[in-house]
Amino acid sequence: MDRIRGKPPFSWVNGILVSLIEDVKSVLQIGENDPGLALLLVHLNANLKAVFNDPRSMFVHTSVREYLFDGVRFCINPQGIAKAICNQIKESGSKTIREQSDGSLAFSFFGHKNGSGHEVYEVHTGKGDATKVLEIQKLDDSHNLHVWLNSSNEGETSACNQINGTDASSYPPFRQRGDSMYIFSADICRSVQLFYQSDIQYQGIPGFRYSIGENFINDIGPEHDNECFCVDKLANVIKRKNGCLYAGALDLTTCLDAPVILTLPHMLGASNEYRKMIRGLNPDAKKHQTFVDVQTLTGTPLQGGKRVQFNMFLKSINRITITENLTTVLMPAIWVEEGIQLNGEMVQFFKKKLINTLKTLDIVHWAGLCGGVGVAAFGLIYYIYQRGRPVKELVK
C-alpha cells in the first residue's frame, strides 16, 4: 500500500528561486547578499513572468500527479534574458527539473525516481555469517556515498556517507530482543538505524517491532559526532549558528539537488523553531513514526510503514518583488507514506511452511524429550526395584 498525501496549492516557485540564487557555482553567480550582482537580480525579478508563467503569488495550483511525477511546467517559450535564466536553471543539473520535448522545463519531486530503479546493489550472500545476509556491500560499485560532508582527513569517509544495512525489502535472520539494525534509503541518501520496541503478533505470526530512534533527525550536529549532515547550503533560513538545522530537520539539498528539508510527518519531534510557525500540526507517534514488524527467525517483514515529510523554506529574497511579503518559515510540502503488509495468501503459506512446521518440530522435540525422560525414569525405577529384592541362594 502506497499513500502519498498532498494538497494544492504548492510553492515550488520559491524553491527553484532559492536553488537558483544560492547556487554559488552557477554561471550567473547570483548571490542574494552581493551588491555587485544587484542588476542580475533586477533582471531576474523583471523576467519572472516569462520564466514562471506569469505567477500571481508564490503558490501555484496544480495536481498531485504533476507536482510529484509529471512535472509542473515553466520556461515556456522564454525570450531574451528570460531564456538565459531558463538555460541556467537547466544547466544546474537538478534531479527535480527535467527538460520537456518542447524545450520547456518541468519541476517534480519524484519524477526522476518514477520507473527508475537505476541503482545497482551488491549485497552479502550470508556465506560465513548468516546475520549479514542481504546487507548492502556496494552501491553503484562504491562502498560509500559521495553526498554528505567528509572528514578533513583525506581519504576518510564520514559516518554520514557510510552505507549500512539492507534496502528494507528484507532483514537478516535470527533476530534477538533488544537488538538494532540498519536500513539504507536511497530516497534520502542515508542509512537509518532501527531499534527493537516490542514483541508483536501479526495474524498469528510472532515477530519483533522496530522503529527509528530519536537520533534519526533529532540528534544532528558536532555534539553528536555527525556534523557531516550539516551541509549548510541554504542562506538566511532558520538554523543554528554552526550551520546545522534545529532538531527534527535534515537538509537534503545535496541529496536531491533541490532545497528540500526532511522531517517526520506533522513535524513529529521537530524543534519549536519550526513548528511554531505552522498551524494545524497534530503529531502522533502511532501515525507518523516509521516502523517495521519482522519475523524473528527469517527476518521477513510482516508489516511496516515508512513515513516522512518533505518541506521547503519560504522566505523573502532581496529584489524579488513576489517574495517581499514572505516570512521565513519551514513550510510542509508533502507527507509520503510507504506501507507493506503480508497478504492473506502469504500469511497462510508462511504458517504452513514455517510456523506449523516449527510447531510440529517443537512437539516432536518435547515428545522425544519426555519419552527419553520416561524411559530413563522407568529404567531407574526398575534398577532400584531389582536392587531392593532379596538374593536367593542356590541349594545344591
Side-chain angles (χ1 to χ4, degrees):
M1 174 184 65
D2 291 343
R3 289 189 290 167
I4 301 176
R5 302 185 180 187
K7 183 178 180 180
F10 299 115
S11 178
W12 56 277
V13 175
N14 190 259
I16 296 174
L17 285 174
V18 170
S19 180
L20 177 63
I21 290 174
E22 293 178 348
D23 185 2
V24 296
K25 296 181 181 179
S26 68
V27 176
L28 292 180
Q29 291 292 301
I30 297 176
E32 184 178 2
N33 300 314
D34 189 340
L37 298 173
L39 183 60
L40 287 177
L41 289 172
V42 171
H43 282 306
L44 177 60
N45 183 57
N47 286 274
L48 281 182
K49 290 184 178 181
V51 174
F52 294 110
N53 312 332
D54 194 14
R56 302 298 176 89
S57 75
M58 294 307 303
F59 295 91
V60 176
H61 287 265
T62 186
S63 68
V64 173
R65 177 170 178 170
E66 287 180 340
Y67 188 59
L68 296 185
F69 300 111
D70 292 349
V72 183
R73 293 175 65 218
F74 64 102
C75 283
I76 303 172
N77 298 321
Q79 302 296 324
I81 294 177
K83 186 174 182 179
I85 294 171
C86 290
N87 286 336
Q88 172 55 32
I89 296 174
K90 179 172 63 176
E91 292 172 6
S92 67
S94 173
K95 299 175 184 177
T96 57
I97 297 175
R98 293 177 296 169
E99 185 176 8
Q100 305 299 293
S101 58
D102 62 358
S104 65
L105 301 179
F107 169 87
S108 64
F109 253 98
F110 302 117
H112 63 288
K113 290 286 186 180
N114 196 19
S116 57
H118 296 311
E119 296 91 356
V120 178
Y121 293 96
E122 181 179 312
V123 300
H124 201 292
T125 62
K127 183 178 180 180
D129 189 352
T131 61
K132 293 184 178 296
V133 66
L134 297 180
E135 285 191 358
I136 299 171
Q137 304 298 297
K138 289 183 180 180
L139 172 63
D140 293 334
D141 207 32
S142 177
H143 289 286
N144 304 294
L145 298 176
H146 305 282
V147 175
W148 308 101
L149 302 176
N150 271 326
S151 171
S152 57
N153 298 327
E154 187 176 352
E156 185 175 339
T157 301
S158 67
C160 305
N161 278 320
Q162 292 177 3
I163 301 175
N164 300 310
T166 71
D167 67 347
S169 61
S170 189
Y171 303 89
F174 312 124
R175 311 308 310 166
Q176 300 293 325
R177 288 182 181 86
D179 64 1
S180 64
M181 57 188 180
Y182 280 91
I183 60 173
F184 173 75
S185 174
D187 292 335
I188 60 174
C189 304
R190 64 162 294 182
S191 301
V192 179
Q193 191 172 15
L194 300 174
F195 297 90
Y196 167 84
Q197 297 297 314
S198 62
D199 287 29
I200 58 95
Q201 286 279 336
Y202 178 76
Q203 298 188 31
I205 301 176
F208 293 156
R209 171 159 294 185
Y210 294 84
S211 69
I212 59 174
E214 291 185 355
N215 66 333
F216 171 44
I217 47 180
N218 284 12
D219 298 342
I220 292 178
E223 66 273 28
H224 303 291
D225 295 325
N226 58 4
E227 64 269 30
C228 42
F229 284 124
C230 304
V231 294
D232 199 13
K233 288 287 186 178
L234 304 177
N236 302 323
V237 298
I238 304 171
K239 59 185 177 181
R240 295 189 284 168
K241 292 181 179 180
N242 60 7
C244 299
L245 298 181
Y246 287 99
L250 177 65
D251 187 351
L252 295 182
T253 301
T254 56
C255 173
L256 300 179
D257 289 331
V260 176
I261 306 300
L262 177 76
T263 67
L264 294 180
H266 284 255
M267 296 189 179
L268 174 67
S271 173
N272 193 47
E273 275 80 3
Y274 301 131
R275 292 188 293 108
K276 67 183 179 182
M277 305 293 289
I278 305 296
R279 294 180 182 176
L281 295 179
N282 187 24
D284 184 339
K286 291 183 179 180
K287 296 179 181 178
H288 306 143
Q289 186 71 286
T290 292
F291 78 98
V292 63
D293 294 339
V294 178
Q295 204 283 321
T296 55
L297 185 63
T298 65
T300 303
L302 303 174
Q303 67 173 344
K306 183 172 71 174
R307 301 151 175 168
V308 293
Q309 181 172 295
F310 295 97
N311 314 265
M312 282 186 169
F313 276 110
L314 282 184
K315 65 174 188 173
S316 175
I317 300 174
N318 290 338
R319 301 180 183 86
I320 304 297
T321 306
I322 199 172
T323 71
E324 61 186 5
N325 294 322
L326 291 177
T327 299
T328 301
V329 59
L330 184 60
M331 190 194 76
I334 53 174
W335 158 13
V336 180
E337 178 174 335
E338 295 178 294
I340 181 174
Q341 285 185 327
L342 210 62
N343 60 31
E345 182 180 352
M346 289 302 299
V347 167
Q348 293 306 316
F349 175 82
F350 212 90
K351 286 183 176 180
K352 181 179 179 181
K353 296 296 184 179
L354 180 65
I355 304 302
N356 291 343
T357 301
L358 289 176
K359 287 182 178 179
T360 301
L361 291 174
D362 201 38
I363 292 173
V364 172
H365 167 75
W366 285 108
L369 182 62
C370 291
V373 171
V375 171
F378 177 79
L380 179 63
I381 293 172
Y382 181 77
Y383 171 75
I384 295 174
Y385 172 75
Q386 290 296 329
R387 294 249 345 232
R389 294 181 63 186
V391 179
K392 296 181 179 181
E393 295 183 1
L394 293 177
V395 180
K396 295 183 180 180

